[in-house]
Structures are given as C-alpha cells and as structure tokens.
Amino acid sequence: MLGSTHGTLTTDFRARVEACGESPRTAVHSTAAASAEDTVALDVSGRPLHADAPDLDRFFRPESVAVIGASDADGRPNTGITRQLIAWAERVGARIHPVHPTRTSVFGLPCHASVADLPEQVDLAVLLVADPLPVVEQLAEAKVKFAVAFASGFAETGNEGAAAQARLGAAVRRSGLRLLGPNTNLNAFEAFREDLDGPAIALITQSGHQGRPVYTLQELGIRLSHWAPTGNEADLETSDFISYFAEQPEVGAIACYVEGLKDGRQFLLAADRAARNGVPVVAVKVGRTETGARMAASHTGKLTGADTVVDAAMRQFGVIRVDGLDELQDTAALLARARKPLADGVVVYSISGGTGAHFSDLATEAGLSIPALSRAKQDELHQWIPEYLGVSNPVDNGGHPVGDWRGRKIIDAILADPSVGVLICPITGPFPPMSDKLAQDLVDAAEQTDKLICVIWGSPVGTEEAYRTTLLGSSRVATFRTFGNCITAVRAYLGHHRFTAAYRSPFEDAPRTLSPSFRKAQALMRPGQQLSEHSAKQLLRAYGIRVPREQLVTSAAAAVRAAGLVGYPVVMKASGPQLAHKTELGLVKIGLTSASQIRDAYRELTDIARYEDVPLDGILVCQMVERGVEMVVGVTQDDLFGPTVTVGLGGVLVEVLHDAAVRVPPFGEDQARAMLTELRGHALLEGVRGAPPADVDALVEVILRVQRMAMELGGELSELDINPLMVLPRGQGAVALDALAICR
C-alpha cells in the first residue's frame, strides 16, 4: 500500500548557470550509493550537500540496556520508570542491567554499582539522574552506543540552562555516543501493538504529550512503528529521525510535532531524503505567531525561525504542514496507508444533495479537482438514480438506491471512470439500516479497487456498528469524522504524489565551485557597510543581471554629457552609501528631457543631500525604463536557514502589499517559477487590461542568478534588494532599476 518510488525530472537550471559563466557541479550520488567524498561535500556557501542517516537500529531495538539510577523503592519516581523499562526490554528482547551505587538488586535483577561494573558493552543507557554530564563521560569509556537523558533544567530554563546544555552537547560529541534529550520522556519505550499490519506511522515529537493523538491511532487499527521524543535535542534531533525513518521499509509516513528546528540545512537534507524515497512527512510546526514562538522557546530553548521562511522551506521540500493534532493524525494515517493515486479527480457521492453541495464547495475552495462526469457516465448512473437528481459531480443518489443492489452498482460505476482517483462519501449522520448497507458496500468496493475511498462519519456519537466495526475494521477505507480533516488529508495525499513524481533533489545541482562572478563581486564588498546604488548595481552586473544604461557624475556639466550618451528621457538619482529610500527624500527625478532640466535637477539633488546631511558618491544619470511590471527580488539572512531569496510585487508599495514568496537555496528553475504562481498579483505578469505578458523567463533567470549570489556571498552579504526590477514585455528581458546591498 505504500506509494511506489518516484521518478525524477530534469530542469534546465544547469543551462542558466552556465549562461552566467559558472560551472555546474557534479551530481551528488543517491543515498544508497553515497561515497565518503559525497558525505563531506559542501556547496559554495559552505553548507553540506549530504547527511548520512544515523543507524538507530540499536536504539529502538537494543540487545542490552543499562538503567542508570534504577530503583524499586516505593514512592520513588525512578521506580515506575524502571518498571516500564524492564517491561519494554522484555518486549524487544533486550537484556537489562540496573545501575545504582547502593543497591545489589532491583526488581530481582542484579544491580551494578557503576557503569564501569557493567558485565557487557551495552547498546543503550537510560539516565535517571539529575545531572547526566558526569555519566556521559563514564559511558564514553564503556563505549555505549546510545543514551537517553530525562533530566530537565537545561535550555528550556534560560541562559544558565542553555550553557549547561551546551556543555552536555560538547561532552556527547567528544564521547562518540548519541544522546536523546535532555528534557525528554518515556515515549520511545511505549508498547506498540504488534497485531496490526500494513505501512506504519513513525512519530517524532518535541513535546511528548502532543504525540498522544497519533499514538492512539493504534486503537483504530492504524499501525505505529516508532516514537522519538526528541526533547531539547542536545544531540539527536528531529532531522536525524526523519532521515532514519525515511529508510525504514515498514514506515509509510512520518508524523512530527516540531517546536524548533536545531539546524536548518540538516532539516532540508532530511526532508530531501524522505522526498527522494517517496516517504511523506507531515508536521505540526509551532511558532506561526509571536506568542507561539515565545512559548516554544520557553519549552525547548530553541529558535523557531522566521515562520514564513520555515513554511516556505517545508513546502519546497515536500513537508506537509498542518495546524492541528487532529489533522496530523488523519493526514498521516491516510498518507501511510493509501496507494498511489491513479487520477487527481475527486467524486463526491452522497445520499443528500445538500450534503454533496456543501462538501463540494469546501473541497473546491481548498483546491481539490471536482470534475464533471461525462455525459455517458451520467447516463449510466441514471440507470439506478432518478433522472431528476444531479449526478454530474457531486453524485446525489436520493437515498433509496443505497438500501438495495443499486448501491454497489453506483459505486462501481463511479470508480470505473478513468478521471476519478478518489471517491468521497460524506455521511452526516447514521440512518440504519441504509447507512449500514452503504458502509458495507463502500468497504467491499474498496477491497476490489486501487482507487482511494474516503468516508466521513459525521455522527457525534461514534458508537454505531457501521462506524466502529465496518468502516474502522477496513484497512482500505479512510474514515474521517469531519469534512475539514478529510479535505486536508486528501489534498495532502494528491499533492504529495504530484510532488514526489516530479521531484529532483536540488542538492544534486547545487554549485560546489565558486564562479568567476564571485571574484568580481568580492572586490566590491565593504564589510559592515551599505553599498551605494552605483556599487550595488555593479554587484548585479558581476552576476549577469541587467541594469539600465547609466553614468555616475559629480558635476552638472558631466550630467548633461551623460544624458546625451544615455539618451533622453533620463532619470537622475542621488547615489551614496547611506541612502535606502531616495524617493521619500526627493532624491529621484524622472522624465528629464533637456540639458536645462538636467542642470536644475543636479543642483536640487545635491542641495537636498547637503540639507539632509547625506554623503554622496555622485549623481546617477540613468536610462529611463517605463513599460513593464515592477517586481522585487532580494536576499535576506535567516538565523536558521542562512541566505534566503525573496520575490514579490515591487515598487514604492512593496512594504504595503506584502505580496512575496520565499525559497531557501538550493532550488531549481521549477521552484523559481512556483514562487511566481504563489503571488496574489501573479496575473500582472500574464498581462491585464491590455498590457502585454511580461518576460517571465527573464524574471526566473534573475531569481536564479540572485540565488547564486546569495550562496556565494552568503558570508559577506547581509541583505540585497532589487526594487524595482522592471520586467519588460515577453522577449525583452528584465532590468534592475534600483538596488540596495548591505555587507556583513
């Protein structure tokens, strides 16, 4: 029932890079064939292009376990934990060794005074001690592979705790062992049902309690294979577990509750591994609001990252972000169990026209395709459904046909349509015996089709036999309790398979060697300073980004000569290293058509600059470019992911419109184009009110060149704004009319 391994599509990103004078890097091998050289390969920004999946087999299935601080004394917190660990070790077939300095036995098992006294080299040590640091050093000498630290009081408590966690992390890195925690819990040692089959959900949570809804899916017959409660992530982090789970054959989906990401690049590499393996990752990521971000920091002591960047990075690498824990469980369950879709079309089948119309409205608004069935198919359905009922989609059967032989005929006819990939049947409330027959027909049909059948059981009671036994007893029917969760899950299911079918790892095409452009650009950088517009445009020129014809002058006479060379009409602008918003200060003059206007403009611009006490390096006399769509393309530095690239509607209203899309390098041409379709004002690029379509290809090329600049100058470039970038009519290119660059 798992989705098959996806294919890959190539992009022409290499060609665009070569057009800029750069060499495309050698492709990174797949995970299975990754060599030692690939493992340490870096892109031009100095970030890794490959991350090995940690071998966590002996963590989840150890042969031997040491419990440091084990106890069987009444009333002690460690007693209950020790008891649970003993039961878990028995289930997984591990030998368990209690360790306590003053006890000779714990729950009848021989107890050892110290780690040094352990009778064998253990795979996993569970630390039931307040200060795990000294024990970590002992475990290093004993060559223990894995450890779990439950202790709290680390980064989640503030600066002093963060310093203690840093010391613990450093000790772990020196030791060679891998540590889960601190500030974690016993979720990794829960009892998982072994009587369930099919693809499983692997669960990762930074807050243990937030994983409970997914864990209880086992009671609905959905298999869970692993639970990683990562806590403060002093060592092992969410990314490590995503990489590991993506390689496990029994894992059909990975469900995550994430409060903060430890390392942005490692997260992207892990998500990339999952995408290449076709394993869906569904995540709740807190920190959308300032309050959520603050609470996450207090809980796990981690930077949540700018949420718009996190959201874009997840989308870019196929991570499905949901909001609620109910959405997490329903979406992960569907993605884990459903087969690859045969078509994107969704048919809504109901016993009520009102129900069908309501659900179809919501589904269409959410972006699902609800195609009209062919006239031939409608005629076929009208064999069993009265002519006065609509069957184009949604299909309304009127109720009575579901109570006899006609019900199954209708379902089979719908599923036989090649445009249909998903059949959704909302049952807003039970109406036995017809609802019982309908549920059974849907389950029976699901056993004989590769297409997805979803049922929404709307009864608030949920004790009905048709729901508890018939629907939940089927591993082939996806059952939901709400319209919204069904729509969210189906949209994610179809979107995931579209994404993986076309996915090509951007790390395969990421540049490893610096381009000739870098050497030209580096000479222009001024550490800690803002470049003048003239210098910023030279930076763009170095990377092959077109700017207007212009000259920098320092006298009125030179300005007149420059205007003659540039060609009237011209624009005159003050240029200086401290100028960011020239228009507001009156330091831009447009549409100048004569020498007298040039002289007057020069005098006025320099007078304003003196009055405002703004130092200038000169006055720019520029070619005037009028016809096009004003866009903004820029680079900013994100604390979590490093350099990011932004594109949006530009001009003087850029800060008002807030219409922008973000990507984290590396990305290819497909993602650059996807950024444009995300913009609310995307239609402006297609041509509106008689305006010709804009040169989108040129805009995409600028985005890719800016990305190359961001990667190569990431350590030296704090911020870049090309605003406006005038995108001319199709075939005429794009011109950077203004630019702001701030060096680090």
Side-chain angles (χ1 to χ4, degrees):
M1 294 171 61
L2 279 168
S4 61
T5 303
H6 65 276
T8 57
L9 297 178
T10 60
T11 70
D12 59 353
F13 175 62
R14 288 170 179 258
R16 294 196 179 278
V17 171
E18 288 171 333
C20 194
E22 298 117 3
S23 301
R25 74 170 193 80
T26 304
V28 176
H29 299 304
S30 66
T31 302
S35 66
E37 182 181 354
D38 290 324
T39 301
V40 298
L42 305 176
D43 66 17
V44 293
S45 71
R47 291 172 173 80
L49 291 166
H50 174 79
D52 287 323
D55 184 358
L56 297 171
D57 291 347
R58 284 287 178 254
F59 176 86
F60 289 106
R61 290 281 178 175
E63 294 182 355
S64 53
V65 180
V67 182
I68 317 300
S71 174
D72 57 4
D74 291 341
R76 298 286 298 172
N78 285 5
T79 299
I81 298 175
T82 303
R83 185 183 290 113
Q84 180 174 340
L85 289 168
I86 291 172
W88 172 77
E90 184 177 350
R91 286 195 303 272
V92 301
R95 298 177 297 277
I96 195 159
H97 302 292
V99 176
H100 194 285
T102 65
R103 297 180 182 277
T104 58
S105 68
V106 172
F107 289 117
L109 297 171
C111 187
H112 310 280
S114 69
V115 172
D117 295 326
L118 288 169
E120 62 176 324
Q121 180 181 334
V122 299
D123 296 321
L124 174 64
V126 181
L127 312 185
L128 309 183
V129 295
D131 184 5
L133 181 58
V135 183
V136 164
E137 295 168 348
Q138 297 169 24
L139 297 174
E141 295 180 10
K143 301 188 184 306
V144 175
K145 296 182 178 69
F146 296 99
V148 179
F150 294 125
S152 58
F154 288 89
E156 78 278 6
T157 63
N159 292 337
E160 186 174 340
Q165 183 169 309
R167 290 192 295 271
L168 177 62
V172 169
R173 288 189 292 275
R174 292 192 302 268
S175 72
L177 65 80
R178 302 305 306 270
L179 177 77
L180 180 71
N183 193 27
T184 185
N185 53 38
L186 285 163
N187 294 149
F189 311 115
E190 294 278 4
F192 300 117
R193 285 182 57 177
E194 297 182 356
D195 60 327
L196 303 175
D197 56 14
I201 295 174
L203 178 60
I204 305 168
T205 60
Q206 285 182 275
S207 173
H209 192 68
Q210 295 295 84
R212 285 288 157 194
V214 176
Y215 177 75
T216 55
L217 281 173
Q218 294 175 105
E219 299 307 309
L220 302 182
I222 297 168
R223 183 180 169 206
L224 198 75
S225 59
H226 306 79
W227 191 347
T230 59
N232 282 18
E233 300 188 354
D235 176 36
L236 286 170
E237 57 181 299
T238 296
S239 303
D240 293 317
F241 289 102
I242 291 175
S243 291
Y244 173 76
F245 293 148
E247 300 288 348
Q248 305 311 304
E250 72 270 30
V251 173
I254 302 168
C256 308
Y257 173 82
V258 181
E259 292 179 345
L261 295 171
K262 181 179 175 182
D263 184 308
R265 174 52 71 95
Q266 291 302 314
F267 176 76
L268 298 185
L269 289 168
D272 171 71
R273 183 188 299 272
R276 285 186 282 120
N277 289 349
V279 179
V281 179
V282 187
V284 170
K285 168 65 176 70
V286 300
R288 286 193 186 275
T289 66
E290 183 180 348
T291 300
R294 185 169 61 249
M295 290 299 294
S298 67
H299 188 67
T300 59
K302 246 187 258 24
L303 177 69
T304 56
D307 191 69
T308 53
V309 179
V310 171
D311 198 62
M314 286 184 166
R315 230 176 17 256
Q316 184 177 334
F317 284 85
V319 176
I320 300 155
R321 189 175 184 183
V322 295
D323 292 323
L325 297 178
D326 56 334
E327 293 176 322
L328 179 65
Q329 65 179 6
D330 282 352
T331 303
L334 176 62
L335 285 164
R337 293 156 64 101
R339 299 181 180 184
K340 184 178 180 179
L342 301 178
D344 277 355
V346 175
V347 164
V348 181
Y349 173 55
S350 73
I351 64 157
S352 161
T355 300
H358 182 199
F359 185 88
S360 298
D361 272 353
L362 296 174
T364 302
E365 181 69 20
L368 294 181
S369 172
I370 312 288
L373 299 176
S374 67
R375 173 51 59 187
K377 180 59 65 176
Q378 294 182 50
D379 290 343
E380 182 183 2
L381 292 173
H382 276 308
Q383 296 178 72
W384 311 294
I385 297 174
E387 287 288 340
Y388 60 83
L389 294 175
V391 295
S392 63
N393 194 12
V395 175
D396 173 15
N397 65 35
H400 294 292
V402 305
D404 55 37
W405 59 273
R406 293 174 293 173
R408 179 63 190 276
K409 291 281 190 182
I410 294 168
I411 294 169
D412 288 343
I414 293 172
L415 293 172
D417 191 310
S419 69
V420 175
V422 183
L423 185 153
I424 300 177
C425 183
I427 304 173
T428 54
F431 51 102
M434 287 195 297
S435 56
D436 299 349
K437 177 75 165 56
L438 174 58
Q440 190 62 58
D441 283 345
L442 290 164
V443 167
D444 292 343
E447 293 295 330
Q448 297 181 19
T449 182
D450 289 333
K451 296 184 177 182
L452 175 62
I453 294 180
C454 299
V455 176
I456 303 156
W457 191 262
S459 167
V461 180
T463 58
E464 298 85 0
E465 187 73 11
Y467 171 66
R468 299 296 303 179
T469 301
T470 305
L471 293 173
L472 295 184
S474 170
S475 63
R476 298 299 307 276
V477 172
T479 304
F480 301 88
R481 299 305 302 277
T482 67
F483 283 15
N485 280 15
C486 177
I487 290 169
T488 296
V490 171
R491 181 177 57 191
Y493 160 72
L494 295 171
H496 165 73
H497 286 284
R498 281 195 300 269
F499 178 85
T500 54
Y503 186 72
R504 175 181 173 85
S505 172
F507 297 109
E508 295 186 3
D509 293 313
R512 297 192 190 191
T513 56
L514 294 169
S515 67
S517 299
F518 170 74
R519 289 185 287 275
K520 299 175 187 176
Q522 195 176 39
L524 298 168
M525 305 303 287
R526 299 292 181 267
Q529 297 182 26
Q530 176 182 309
L531 300 183
S532 68
E533 178 183 340
H534 181 61
S535 296
K537 285 180 174 176
Q538 287 182 307
L539 195 64
L540 300 183
R541 281 196 187 99
Y543 278 90
I545 297 170
R546 180 179 165 191
V547 300
R549 296 189 303 273
E550 62 183 36
Q551 289 193 21
L552 182 69
V553 299
T554 56
S555 70
V560 172
R561 290 193 297 271
L565 294 172
V566 167
Y568 289 101
V570 299
V571 176
M572 291 180 66
K573 297 189 282 185
S575 177
Q578 297 179 19
L579 281 174
H581 300 289
K582 295 183 285 290
T583 303
E584 287 86 338
L585 294 175
L587 292 175
V588 178
K589 302 295 180 183
I590 64 173
L592 306 176
T593 58
S594 68
S596 61
Q597 288 181 336
I598 297 292
R599 284 189 287 269
D600 290 344
Y602 185 91
R603 186 182 311 107
E604 185 176 351
L605 291 173
T606 53
D607 285 347
I608 292 173
R610 278 192 295 272
Y611 177 78
E612 297 289 346
D613 196 23
V614 176
L616 300 181
D617 58 6
I619 300 296
L620 281 172
V621 181
C622 312
Q623 171 193 9
M624 189 166 176
V625 181
E626 297 182 85
R627 192 183 182 199
V629 179
E630 292 187 338
M631 302 293 291
V632 58
V633 180
V635 175
T636 57
Q637 295 291 331
D638 182 76
D639 290 336
L640 185 61
F641 292 101
T644 64
V645 177
T646 301
V647 63
L649 293 182
V652 295
L653 296 179
V654 61
E655 294 174 356
V656 176
L657 297 174
H658 292 292
D659 189 9
V662 183
R663 288 297 184 274
V664 178
F667 58 86
E669 182 178 341
D670 57 339
Q671 286 291 333
R673 292 185 184 277
M675 292 171 78
L676 303 181
T677 61
E678 291 174 14
L679 300 175
R680 296 189 302 275
H682 175 256
L684 293 174
L685 295 169
E686 299 171 348
V688 294
R689 294 192 174 183
D695 197 336
V696 172
D697 290 344
L699 174 56
V700 168
E701 186 169 340
V702 170
I703 294 170
L704 294 175
R705 291 177 184 274
V706 167
Q707 177 193 206
R708 184 67 185 248
M709 184 189 305
M711 294 178 71
E712 294 192 342
L713 298 175
E716 302 174 64
L717 184 64
S718 176
E719 183 179 344
L720 172 73
D721 272 323
I722 305 174
N723 182 32
L725 174 74
M726 188 68 79
V727 186
L728 304 175
R730 184 177 295 163
Q732 297 181 32
V735 186
L737 301 187
D738 200 349
L740 168 73
I742 301 176
C743 305
R744 301 182 87 171

